[in-house]
Amino acid sequence: MTKRLTTLSETETTAVGRELAGRLPRETTIVLFGELGAGKTAFVRGLAEGLGVDPSEVSSPTFTLIQQYRGGRLPLYHVDLYRLNHAREVDDHKLPRPIPGAIAVHIEYGEGDTRVITVERG
């Protein structure tokens, strides 16, 4: 199943993440794709809030690689593979390709401040 949405602001992008979080079962993996600055961290803030984690705690893991947030309905691990250079580095971090049953979320730039968010359930 594929769902495509257009958001007009960072607040709306955050709301999409929050809505998705409310329906997530345990052991769900979300693979998030998007260029630098596309709104991935805003989306993860929404996921955090929807899971009961303080969204102000969420920051981009670009330099730490992995951020984990606990205390919500489910644990949230925010992993950033943007700065990894080779597929081997991804494999070294034990992330299989593809991840069976993962939800793929693509965030793309639209016109102006809009973002196009595509959610594909595997």
Side-chain angles (χ1 to χ4, degrees):
M1 179 178 127
T2 300
K3 185 176 183 179
R4 190 175 174 105
L5 307 140
T6 299
T7 61
L8 304 175
S9 66
E10 183 175 321
T11 301
E12 288 183 11
T13 298
T14 300
V16 171
R18 186 174 47 249
E19 179 185 327
L20 178 62
R23 299 188 310 261
L24 292 178
R26 296 189 71 73
E27 305 296 322
T28 300
T29 299
I30 299 173
V31 183
L32 185 56
F33 301 91
E35 293 182 34
L36 194 61
K40 298 182 299 294
T41 299
F43 183 86
V44 173
R45 278 191 192 102
L47 283 174
E49 186 176 4
L51 293 172
V53 174
D54 182 354
S56 69
E57 293 180 21
V58 175
S59 62
S60 177
T62 299
F63 298 105
T64 58
L65 192 63
I66 300 173
Q67 299 277 21
Q68 58 180 322
Y69 306 100
R70 296 186 179 270
R73 181 174 68 82
L74 302 171
L76 174 61
Y77 298 91
H78 186 190
V79 181
D80 191 338
L81 303 178
Y82 185 82
R83 67 184 177 95
L84 297 184
N85 296 320
H86 305 288
R88 188 174 140 260
E89 290 183 55
V90 174
D91 291 340
D92 287 347
H93 286 88
K94 310 280 190 247
L95 297 172
R97 288 175 282 152
I99 300 172
I103 298 172
V105 177
H106 297 263
I107 303 177
E108 301 170 327
Y109 288 102
E111 289 193 32
D113 291 334
T114 66
R115 299 295 187 266
V116 178
I117 303 172
T118 305
V119 179
E120 299 173 289
R121 294 181 183 260

